[in-house]
Amino acid sequence: TTAPGPTTRHFTLNFTLSNLPYMTDLEEPSSPRFNSTVRVLNYYMDHLFKQSSISSVYTGCTAMRFRSERDRHHTGVDIVCSYNSNSSLATFDREKVYHELSSMTKGVTKLGHYSLETNSLYVNG
């Protein structure tokens, strides 16, 4: 018999960008601002995960939603990421991923040209 193939699994990331004021066009997936912000965040997330402990199974992230934080002064971000999992791989360790992302974002303060609100990062397995 053959071992079952990999299964795609998902996890979510949530964080707040403190140098991106929230604007209503970030609610519209068809808006240029929404699409350009998604492209930039996806690029940054790919860069981080390709250097992480899950790099060999990581398959991608997509920013899904933006929300108003602190009376529109900041923008909250919801991202869905995926990875391939099978019985020969260790289980997804959200705490380990959180600590790696925290370290790679300089203590949850910097993501590329974005500033992160400290203590705003959540990883849900």
Side-chain angles (χ1 to χ4, degrees), residues 52-110:
S52 75
S53 65
I54 67 166
S55 64
S56 64
V57 295
Y58 168 76
T59 58
C61 287
T62 301
M64 302 297 287
R65 186 173 83 97
F66 301 104
R67 61 191 181 288
S68 173
E69 297 284 338
R70 299 197 183 214
D71 295 325
R72 298 184 179 254
H73 293 289
H74 299 169
T75 298
V77 180
D78 299 330
I79 294 182
V80 174
C81 299
S82 56
Y83 64 98
N84 288 324
S85 173
N86 65 33
S87 58
S88 67
L89 298 171
T91 59
F92 177 79
D93 184 341
R94 72 185 183 100
E95 287 186 31
K96 183 175 184 177
V97 169
Y98 171 86
H99 289 293
E100 287 178 337
L101 290 177
S102 177
S103 175
M104 289 188 276
T105 58
K106 298 178 178 31
V108 190
T109 62
K110 208 79 177 131

Side-chain angles (χ1 to χ4, degrees), residues 1-124:
T1 61
T2 60
T7 302
T8 300
R9 305 255 185 218
H10 304 279
F11 62 97
T12 59
L13 298 176
N14 313 96
F15 51 84
T16 300
L17 302 174
S18 59
N19 66 336
L20 179 64
Y22 183 80
M23 295 181 192
T24 56
D25 56 349
L26 285 170
E27 294 174 15
E28 298 297 325
S30 61
S31 78
R33 185 180 315 272
F34 179 96
N35 287 308
S36 66
T37 306
V38 166
R39 273 192 306 276
V40 171
L41 287 171
N42 291 350
Y43 171 82
Y44 288 148
M45 298 315 300
D46 279 347
H47 180 73
L48 290 178
F49 280 111
K50 287 178 180 176
Q51 299 176 46
S52 75
S53 65
I54 67 166
S55 64
S56 64
V57 295
Y58 168 76
T59 58
C61 287
T62 301
M64 302 297 287
R65 186 173 83 97
F66 301 104
R67 61 191 181 288
S68 173
E69 297 284 338
R70 299 197 183 214
D71 295 325
R72 298 184 179 254
H73 293 289
H74 299 169
T75 298
V77 180
D78 299 330
I79 294 182
V80 174
C81 299
S82 56
Y83 64 98
N84 288 324
S85 173
N86 65 33
S87 58
S88 67
L89 298 171
T91 59
F92 177 79
D93 184 341
R94 72 185 183 100
E95 287 186 31
K96 183 175 184 177
V97 169
Y98 171 86
H99 289 293
E100 287 178 337
L101 290 177
S102 177
S103 175
M104 289 188 276
T105 58
K106 298 178 178 31
V108 190
T109 62
K110 208 79 177 131
L111 178 62
H113 70 273
Y114 292 116
S115 295
L116 298 173
E117 184 174 294
T118 307
N119 299 321
S120 71
L121 176 64
Y122 292 95
V123 177
N124 302 315

